[in-house]
Amino acid sequence: MTLYEVQARKWENGWELRVDGAGQTWSPSLDDAEARVREHIQSAGASKGAVHVTLVPRVDDDTDRLALEARRAVAAADEATRDAVSKTRDAVQGMSAAGLPPNDIARILEISPGRLAELTAESAPDGRDEPRLPQRRRRQ
């Protein structure tokens, strides 16, 4: 497999795409850029086998810096969410084992009963069995 890093620079008609070792082409949008690069590589005869294309979009220094900071912030938020879900599941498991009813668990964790049900129904990333909440007794 041949790896290509493509520098994508914004210009008035779309994106200029500089392909390492294969010249350059262009695309009206980033959505089409990878397909255009693959076509360009194939027509230039630069690679006979499978290719992997990595687009590196560039607008200007300030915008590029802001985009990088935004991507990092989103990644950190995603990681924090996964960590929170894992800790919440652990807490639910402990409270369930202690015999607490679902409504009390939700109140203690300050989440809705619906969210509690979602968390206990979703499978954990590590594949472990999820805690089963105690069944509510029906009034007769």
Side-chain angles (χ1 to χ4, degrees):
M1 176 176 290
T2 306
L3 306 176
Y4 289 93
E5 183 173 283
V6 179
Q7 300 296 317
R9 175 76 57 190
K10 182 71 176 127
W11 65 303
E12 65 186 44
N13 295 320
W15 292 85
E16 176 186 77
L17 306 170
R18 294 181 182 211
V19 185
D20 285 347
Q24 64 185 37
T25 187
W26 75 282
S27 177
S29 72
L30 285 178
D31 289 339
D32 300 328
E34 186 174 333
R36 293 239 182 170
V37 166
R38 289 178 183 280
E39 290 170 9
H40 176 75
I41 291 168
Q42 193 173 34
S43 68
S47 179
K48 302 292 183 202
V51 299
H52 177 80
V53 174
T54 301
L55 288 175
V56 182
R58 303 276 187 224
V59 178
D60 60 54
D61 290 343
D62 288 339
T63 304
D64 294 346
R65 180 183 48 76
L66 290 171
L68 177 62
E69 289 172 6
R71 287 191 303 269
R72 287 179 177 164
V74 167
D78 287 347
E79 179 62 29
T81 298
R82 284 189 296 277
D83 186 46
V85 167
S86 176
K87 288 179 180 180
T88 301
R89 284 185 175 135
D90 290 345
V92 169
Q93 188 172 21
M95 287 184 252
S96 293
L100 273 68
N103 286 344
D104 288 351
I105 295 172
R107 174 71 75 147
I108 291 168
L109 294 175
E110 298 179 355
I111 60 175
S112 71
R115 180 64 180 137
L116 178 64
E118 289 174 357
L119 288 170
T120 57
E122 297 169 356
S123 60
D126 63 4
R128 68 176 189 233
D129 289 335
E130 288 303 308
R132 294 286 177 220
L133 296 174
Q135 296 295 316
R136 296 178 90 183
R137 293 184 191 168
R138 293 188 179 170
R139 295 184 182 164
Q140 297 184 15

